[in-house]
Each structure stands twice: as structure tokens, then as C-alpha cells.
Amino acid sequence: MVSERAKSVKPSPTLSLSAKAKALKAQGIDVVSFSAGEPDFDTPDNIKQAAIKAIEQGFTKYCPVDGIPELKEAIIEKFRVDNGLEYKPSEIVVSCGAKHSIYNVLQAVVNPGDEVLIPSPYWVSYPDMAALAGGVPVIVEGKEENGFKVTPDDILSKVTDKTKVFILNSPCNPTGAVYSREELEALGRALLDTKILIISDEIYEKLIYDGERHYSIASVVPDLKSRTVVVNGVSKAYSMTGWRIGYAAGPEDVMRACAKIQSQSTSNPTSISMAASVEALKGPQDAVESMRREFEQRRNVLVDGLNAISGITCFKPRGAFYAFPNVSGLFGRTIGGREIKSSMDFSEVLLDVARVAAVPGSAFGAEGYLRMSYATSMENIREGLKRIKELVEG
Ligand SMILES: *Cc1c(COP(=O)(O)O)cnc(C)c1O
């Protein structure tokens, strides 16, 4: 009964691991989970109140498909102030999460057989979304010695006459890598000579550490703006993952195509969530900074703790809320009664023996690593580190 298209989609490996950890927890087993893909903070109260007010005022009906004008205005202002980018309302589409925004853009621009360049380690959804649009994902390896970032040469070596899209994600899930202004400029210049559309997924823009700054490639290389779709949303910055609001800004023809696709699938994003997102973007921003600071402290403890375990080394992430330790030094050893040959083996032993959940790097196209989310309490981080150290060092 099921279509070839549906059969081709792989279930999200990050979600299946969280499900296994949850099932163990439900049995009363004490699991320390580093698998979360969302902030562990509550949505700030001013945002919740805006939603409650919207419900009470009857703001519960169909809305413009591509977003209410107040939210588009707030998004336009955000791009102007934070990113130095100017957009018209017709160049913005609000969707049901940034994931939906990326899905729409790929559906809007990819023809069968078109190639989509995806740097690895990558967010798990990119290759499947590209394939669902009929495209061919082409992976460009971001090496650890380059800070998990791709260079202009890495990209250009994979460009063919079928290359249609390049997906950039800075700050990056799963590595926490952040491209500098100079690195974006170099990538952007290299892409100027092509016809490739850039999707810049900037969902972790606000979660950035060590005094680093986030830059948008469309503002660093202005000549590229007409070929760049910037994707962002409220999920990660405002701890609003369940509200499902994301947005895209880009060339009008692509954005109108996205709106058309959206009009025949989801229609408008939830009216109540859109009202809440206006408050998120225009209201006080201090909650964002306090969450960012907390994440930075946790990152320091997690990364230092991982580097203190023999056989594990951990790159210092500069953004998002994930550490991406290299565990290949453990390969060939017997740990917890099992010979470790892959990141999947290690993550299974971690869960089965040490009761620690972390996602194997292979899920992100990078064998030899684990993804460990620090969107969990400091107490859990310390306990998890202790368990891993005991397991590995015996
Ligand atoms: C979480 C995440 C998103 C999507 O978030 P939404 O909840 O759909 O807005 C997009 N890209 C990356 C890299 C993410 O980690």
C-alpha cells in the first residue's frame, strides 16, 4: 500500500534513540539522557501570556497562509536589526517550524535529479528532505581538523551542472561549529560564480559562546542575497519547539512558490502560535540571554569532562547546544563486555550498561563521534560524565 516515496524516508535516528531512553525511564530505570534536540527551559511567561490573550480574544480562525502581517513585520525588523538584511513582506513566509520552511523551499526549487550539497556532519533531516523533493543529496565532508567546517574548495569540488542547492547551517547541529565572517565571505565568493541557491539555516543564531558573533552569509556577501533563503524560527532561541513557528526570507519567486505549496498542505501556521511569536520577537529579550549563559556554562563542564576521559577527545563547540566528542580512540577495545567497532556500538553499550543516552555520529554522516546535547541540567551532565568515565576507564 505504501508509496515508494514513503518507503524511501528513514525514520529519524535521533527520535528513535530518545524513544528507547524514554521506554527505559518508564520502566523505572535511571537513564541520563544527552539526546534532547530541544532546550530544556520553559517558554518565557510573557510569550505564554500573549498566546492566552490571543485565545481569549478569539484569534482562533484561519489567517493569511504565509503569516499574519504583524508577525511578518516583527520578522522584517529582526532581520534588519540582527542581520543587517532588508526584506519586503512578500519575501517572507512563516511556516510550521524551521523544518517546514526548509521542506517547503526544497519542494519549491528542486527538480528530479537535482543535487543538493549538504556539509557533514549534518542535521539528520536534510538528506531525507532533499530526497523527498526528488533531489539527490551530495555530502561534502567537514573535517574535524577544519573545525567541522567546509572550505570553498570542498564545495567547488562537488559542484556539477546538476547542483541546485547548498544547505549551510551555522551554528551547526550536531557539531556546534560556527562559521566566522571571513569563512562565510570566502564560501560566498566561491558560490558567486555558480547558480546555486543557498539555504542558510540560522535556527541557533542566538545560542553562541565565547563572545563569538553570528553572521548571515546573505549580509556578508550582499550579491548573494538574491540567491539565498535565510531560515530561522522561535523554537531554539525562545524555547518554543512545541509551538511550531519558523520562517524563511528570500527571493520573491521562491517565497511565492513556498506559499503556494503551503496553501495546499498545512495552510496557515497556528494563529495562536503566531501571536505568541510576535511577542517573542518584539518583547523583552533577557530570557534569551539567561538561557544562553546557562548553556555556555554547561558546555564548559561537559566538554572539559569529556576531554578528561581517556580515549575521548572533544572539539569545543562555539554555538547551539551539542558537544560532538570523537570516540574513535575507543574502537577496537572491549567495553562493557562488547567489542566497540562503531559509534553505534558505543552508544548501545552506553545506554545498556552505563544508562547514558547519546546519539551515534553515524546518524549525522560522521562515524567515530557521538552527539551529546547539553540541553539538560548541570546535575545530569556531571552524573552522565561520571558514568561514562567509569564505563570507559573501568
Ligand atoms: C531544531 C532544528 C531545526 C528546526 O526547528 P523547528 O522546531 O522546526 O523550527 C532546524 N534546523 C536545525 C539544524 C535544528 O536543529
Side-chain angles (χ1 to χ4, degrees), residues 47-357:
I47 299 173
K48 289 184 183 175
Q49 291 307 321
I52 291 166
K53 196 168 140 214
I55 294 173
E56 285 173 351
Q57 292 180 342
F59 191 62
T60 54
K61 301 290 169 65
Y62 288 137
C63 302
V65 163
D66 58 347
I68 54 174
E70 303 89 304
L71 180 53
K72 282 196 177 192
E73 279 310 320
I75 291 166
I76 287 168
E77 184 63 12
K78 177 248 165 302
F79 276 124
R80 184 180 299 136
V81 172
D82 290 351
N83 310 109
L85 291 168
E86 300 284 340
Y87 291 105
K88 300 189 296 251
S90 57
E91 295 170 312
I92 308 279
V93 175
V94 183
S95 298
C96 311
K99 182 185 266 184
H100 187 210
S101 299
I102 297 165
Y103 182 88
N104 280 341
V105 177
L106 289 168
Q107 292 288 330
V109 304
V110 172
N111 283 314
D114 283 351
E115 293 173 353
V116 178
L117 295 179
I118 301 171
S120 70
Y122 47 75
W123 186 44
V124 291
S125 295
Y126 297 143
D128 282 289
M129 289 199 285
L132 262 178
V136 179
V138 174
I139 307 305
V140 188
E141 189 189 351
K143 299 189 181 71
E144 184 174 359
E145 60 262 34
N146 294 337
F148 295 112
K149 291 181 264 198
V150 294
T151 63
D153 286 344
D154 294 335
I155 293 289
L156 292 178
S157 72
K158 298 281 184 169
V159 172
T160 71
D161 55 0
K162 292 205 166 135
T163 309
K164 189 71 179 272
V165 177
F166 167 56
I167 305 182
L168 179 66
N169 175 215
S170 175
C172 174
N173 173 5
T175 62
V178 175
Y179 284 77
S180 69
R181 191 188 169 96
E182 292 70 30
E183 287 163 340
L184 290 175
E185 206 166 355
L187 278 184
R189 283 228 199 85
L191 289 162
L192 271 180
D193 295 333
T194 70
K195 290 182 175 155
I196 300 170
L197 179 90
I198 297 149
I199 299 178
S200 183
D201 179 351
E202 304 182 10
I203 191 85
Y204 292 101
E205 165 182 28
K206 300 284 180 185
L207 300 177
I208 198 159
Y209 315 116
D210 303 326
E212 289 261 341
R213 255 205 71 179
H214 169 83
Y215 292 95
S216 186
I217 192 165
S219 66
V220 171
V221 184
D223 286 345
L224 221 48
K225 180 170 173 259
S226 60
R227 267 199 287 130
T228 303
V229 176
V230 182
V231 173
N232 210 322
V234 295
S235 283
K236 307 290 162 59
Y238 302 96
S239 207
M240 289 177 71
T241 47
W243 299 73
R244 312 307 307 130
I245 296 293
Y247 51 86
E252 197 165 327
D253 56 341
V254 175
M255 293 295 100
R256 290 308 91 209
C258 289
K260 204 161 59 171
I261 289 164
Q262 186 158 299
S263 77
Q264 299 296 14
S265 47
T266 61
S267 293
N268 63 273
T270 307
S271 58
I272 300 151
S273 294
M274 286 200 282
S277 299
V278 173
E279 174 64 20
L281 292 176
K282 293 176 77 167
Q285 300 293 307
D286 41 315
V288 180
E289 174 57 15
S290 64
M291 291 190 270
R292 192 201 65 77
R293 242 187 254 137
E294 177 71 29
F295 279 133
E296 185 159 3
Q297 284 165 9
R298 295 171 180 181
R299 174 203 66 161
N300 294 342
V301 170
L302 179 59
V303 171
D304 290 349
L306 288 167
N307 277 316
I309 299 171
S310 67
I312 299 181
T313 59
C314 188
F315 163 84
K316 193 162 199 181
R318 291 297 175 83
F321 42 67
Y322 311 97
F324 204 63
N326 186 328
V327 296
S328 62
L330 303 174
F331 289 6
R333 284 179 50 189
T334 299
I335 296 173
R338 266 188 74 169
E339 193 193 342
I340 306 298
K341 291 190 292 275
S342 66
S343 54
M344 181 59 101
D345 290 343
F346 186 55
S347 109
E348 280 174 7
V349 169
L350 264 186
L351 188 57
D352 295 342
V353 180
R355 302 303 189 196
V356 170

Side-chain angles (χ1 to χ4, degrees), residues 349-372:
V349 169
L350 264 186
L351 188 57
D352 295 342
V353 180
R355 302 303 189 196
V356 170
V359 188
S362 46
F364 310 95
E367 183 51 277
Y369 300 88
L370 285 183
R371 189 192 75 171
M372 298 179 68

